[in-house]
Amino acid sequence: MNTVFDTLPTTVFETMSRLARVHDAINLGQGFPDDPGPADLREHGARALRDGWNQYPPMMGLPALREAVAAHYALHQGLALDPETEVMVTSGATEALAGALLALIEPGDEVVLFAPMYDAYLPLVRRAGGVPRIVSLRPPAFRLDEAALAEAFGDRTRVVVLNNPLNPSATLFGHDDLDLLARYCRRFDVTALCDEVWEHVVFDGAGHRPLMALPGMRERTVKVGSAGKIFSLTGWKVGFVMADARLMRGLAKAHQFLTFTTPPNLQEAVAFGLGKPLPWFEAMRAGYARSRDRLAGGLRDLGFEVLPAGATWFLNIDVANLGYADDAAFCEALVTRHGVAAIPVSAFYPDGSVRTLVRLCFAKADATLDAALDRMSGFRSGRPGRSA
């Protein structure tokens, strides 16, 4: 087996989900909502499956979806994209990221990554032959640091991978962070691969600013979006890639030999969804913000230290004041003794340097969150767990 994959451990998501099943736990670990998703999109997809075309769609994606993507980002982010040459549909954002890395780097090229990071980044970079240069971001703000960027970037840097909003930390990079990163990309002639799947799931009046929109970045940015995150349909695996036509030619060739294409009925449904009016997106954000506040408020009432959460479906607690120096040990105790599954944030740091943060998913029904809080109250009060 290829050593990149042969030496990989079982992912923390699989480990915690298995423990959740074994202990009949409430799973606040993996990031997925516990509802079926928007009924109108599901009906549109079902109708397209039943009555529409079910043979190979175009490799770049259905024209209707590519046009919808361009129109959507023009409205929401002010981007001017040519749907013919600058938009491509992929089978999920992970495929988009994998194809982009294969297309953009040669063996030995350096790739700057920010930790905490989505667990696919590092093996994908290594499998493409890239040499990772990892910059660790520190809680609670997880801001970029110029000294760290100066150490990571160099003449061999070809790509920087930016996840914004940042999933494990539930934070949105500010204008200063993006301006700083753009300056380094321009200085070292680096392509930015921007995983922006959480771009619509931002709270408290904040707005997502794509790195592609900054001066000098339009021609050197690959932007990745996800219908799964926008519409809470994680199983559909419909992603989209946006880039300058020059970059897109290479990205398309990599995609051609990966999944090649994506189910046409799902593409039809996503094209319909991207045209939803602005109030729909505002209501979606408001609903998740309410769930965030419900879980965060409940945790604070129980005495947990909750970090700010400005985006995504997640929030983090710091368990250091509970006497835990190992977040994985806390998560194991939480799921086995109290029946709630969570994710240790140390799993998102390759060096495990941050070890007291635990990630919880709030994209759940009120009853699910309340039941989890009830079980976690036993952890804080010292009551014996369910298996005691």
Side-chain angles (χ1 to χ4, degrees):
M1 295 234 357
N2 184 280
T3 55
V4 171
F5 299 120
D6 193 35
T7 57
L8 284 177
T10 302
T11 71
V12 68
F13 304 104
E14 176 58 28
T15 298
M16 296 310 301
S17 291
R18 179 183 59 80
L19 287 173
R21 292 190 296 271
V22 168
H23 295 279
D24 193 25
I26 297 169
N27 193 348
L28 301 188
Q30 263 189 303
F32 57 86
D34 56 4
D35 66 65
D40 56 350
L41 264 77
R42 290 185 285 118
E43 176 58 33
H44 202 93
R47 187 165 56 250
L49 177 66
R50 185 178 59 246
D51 303 330
W53 177 259
N54 285 288
Q55 306 307 329
Y56 291 127
M59 184 266 289
M60 293 291 288
L62 290 181
L65 179 51
R66 292 158 66 194
E67 290 165 7
V69 168
H72 180 86
Y73 286 102
L75 175 63
H76 289 268
Q77 296 178 9
L79 298 175
L81 298 163
D82 182 346
E84 287 290 324
T85 62
E86 297 184 323
V87 178
M88 180 172 68
V89 179
T90 60
S91 291
T94 302
E95 191 237 317
L97 294 164
L101 289 167
L102 290 170
L104 292 171
I105 61 176
E106 298 275 7
D109 287 344
E110 294 186 355
V111 178
V112 176
L113 301 165
F114 300 106
M117 70 179 74
Y118 178 50
D119 64 346
Y121 294 169
L122 199 53
L124 290 177
V125 167
R126 287 174 170 157
R127 185 63 188 92
V131 178
R133 297 294 303 272
I134 298 171
V135 176
S136 290
L137 309 179
R138 315 309 294 184
F142 300 94
R143 297 289 304 275
L144 298 186
D145 175 74
E146 182 161 12
L149 291 186
E151 186 174 345
F153 277 75
D155 293 338
R156 295 177 60 191
T157 308
R158 291 294 173 266
V159 172
V160 58
V161 180
L162 179 70
N163 181 205
N164 186 36
L166 182 56
N167 167 358
S169 67
T171 52
L172 181 69
F173 286 108
H175 287 201
D176 290 347
D177 295 301
L178 297 178
D179 290 340
L180 175 63
L181 183 59
R183 177 153 52 89
Y184 272 79
C185 289
R186 293 190 299 266
R187 175 182 170 187
F188 289 95
D189 193 22
V190 168
T191 300
L193 175 54
C194 294
D195 178 354
E196 301 185 351
V197 299
W198 297 104
E199 59 199 346
H200 274 296
V201 192
V202 296
F203 311 125
D204 307 319
H208 175 74
R209 185 189 189 198
L211 192 67
M212 179 182 274
L214 272 64
M217 295 304 296
R218 178 65 171 79
E219 66 274 17
R220 65 174 73 256
T221 300
V222 176
K223 175 179 169 63
V224 175
S226 166
K229 300 304 189 296
I230 295 174
F231 300 114
S232 306
L233 292 164
T234 60
W236 280 22
K237 302 298 290 180
V238 179
F240 14 90
V241 184
M242 293 140 278
D244 178 81
R246 176 187 59 84
L247 287 173
M248 186 60 78
R249 285 192 288 272
L251 300 173
K253 291 175 183 178
H255 165 67
Q256 177 174 310
F257 297 111
L258 290 173
T259 64
F260 180 74
T261 192
T262 299
N265 69 307
L266 300 183
Q267 293 193 52
E268 292 276 9
V270 172
F272 164 76
L274 289 174
K276 282 179 172 290
L278 291 173
W280 186 91
F281 295 92
E282 294 165 357
M284 177 269 290
R285 284 189 283 272
Y288 282 127
R290 189 184 62 80
S291 296
R292 174 202 61 174
D293 294 343
R294 190 182 192 95
L295 181 59
L299 289 168
R300 291 191 183 97
D301 289 345
L302 293 175
F304 287 96
E305 182 180 345
V306 182
L307 274 64
T312 77
W313 295 334
F314 309 105
L315 59 76
N316 291 289
I317 57 174
D318 193 328
V319 297
N321 66 346
L322 305 179
Y324 278 88
D326 184 345
D327 52 3
F330 174 90
C331 288
E332 184 173 356
L334 185 64
V335 69
T336 58
R337 300 178 196 169
H338 299 277
V340 177
I343 298 293
V345 172
S346 60
F348 300 103
Y349 283 87
D351 63 357
S353 59
V354 173
R355 300 204 61 87
T356 65
L357 300 185
V358 170
R359 195 193 76 172
L360 298 160
C361 177
F362 55 75
K364 308 294 180 182
D366 290 352
T368 302
L369 297 177
D370 292 346
L373 288 167
D374 182 62
R375 294 184 181 188
M376 293 180 74
S377 68
F379 202 112
R380 286 298 291 138
S381 67
R383 294 201 314 266
R386 297 184 304 156
S387 61

